[in-house]
Amino acid sequence: MDRFNQCFEFIKKMEGGYNCVKGDTGGQTIFGIAQAFNSDLLVWGEILGQFGGEIRTMLNQGKSISGNSPLARKITAWVAARPDLMSEIKACYYHRYWIPSCAYCFDAPIDILLMDGYFNMGIGAKKLIQEWAGVPADGIIGKQSRAAIRACKKDPAELIMMRWEYYQTRPAFARFGRGWKSRLIELAKFCKIWVDL
């Protein structure tokens, strides 16, 4: 569980706090958890109950609520001070990202490379690590894939480079590429891996 906690803290920091950006298909996000894909969480009702008026005012004015805005910082601090909401967010990381990504099957740094990728790319992260390990990239991390990934002698830095190459093909690269690059650099530092992006 210690390793999950380390991965959780790293990804939470990378994702930042509250955001509600116009055009983002995920809708509201808090610590990277998108409402559109996690609408059952109680945190959304709590946020709207406390800040709904301010959020609606900003959105009606055509303004995004980004991690650097005063309102975003206020919402983030409020959620972070609520142990019940943070417990729910942490459980979401565990049950919807750590376990489904199969990160728990591997030692560092593969665990965080896989979980962080899954958080950001979904099943594409599983396919990427399979490609890296030389097994069919079907997104199913079964017995054969686990054995190949564990036995793989390639430099884990290649996984970061492969992810960077993938990002450069995305339609949103012009908008988000700078942030994606910064995230990968921080991920490499966390893993004590050298990369040249």
Side-chain angles (χ1 to χ4, degrees), residues 140-150:
I140 301 168
I141 307 289
K143 185 176 180 181
Q144 179 186 356
S145 289
R146 289 195 300 271
I149 293 164
R150 288 179 186 134

Side-chain angles (χ1 to χ4, degrees), residues 17-20 28-30 47-48 50-61 63-79:
Y18 182 84
N19 282 281
C20 191
Q28 298 182 89
T29 63
I30 184 72
I47 289 171
L48 289 178
Q50 187 73 20
F51 302 101
E54 293 174 83
I55 291 170
R56 282 188 291 276
T57 298
M58 291 284 287
L59 296 179
N60 288 339
Q61 293 172 355
K63 297 177 182 175
S64 293
I65 306 167
S66 70
N68 294 322
S69 72
L71 180 55
R73 288 198 303 268
K74 186 162 68 167
I75 295 170
T76 300
W78 184 81
V79 171

Side-chain angles (χ1 to χ4, degrees), residues 77-103:
W78 184 81
V79 171
R82 288 275 303 269
D84 57 333
L85 299 182
M86 289 309 300
S87 177
E88 180 184 55
I89 288 166
K90 190 171 186 177
C92 182
Y93 271 65
Y94 185 81
H95 293 291
R96 300 182 187 181
Y97 297 95
W98 177 253
I99 298 298
S101 71
C102 299

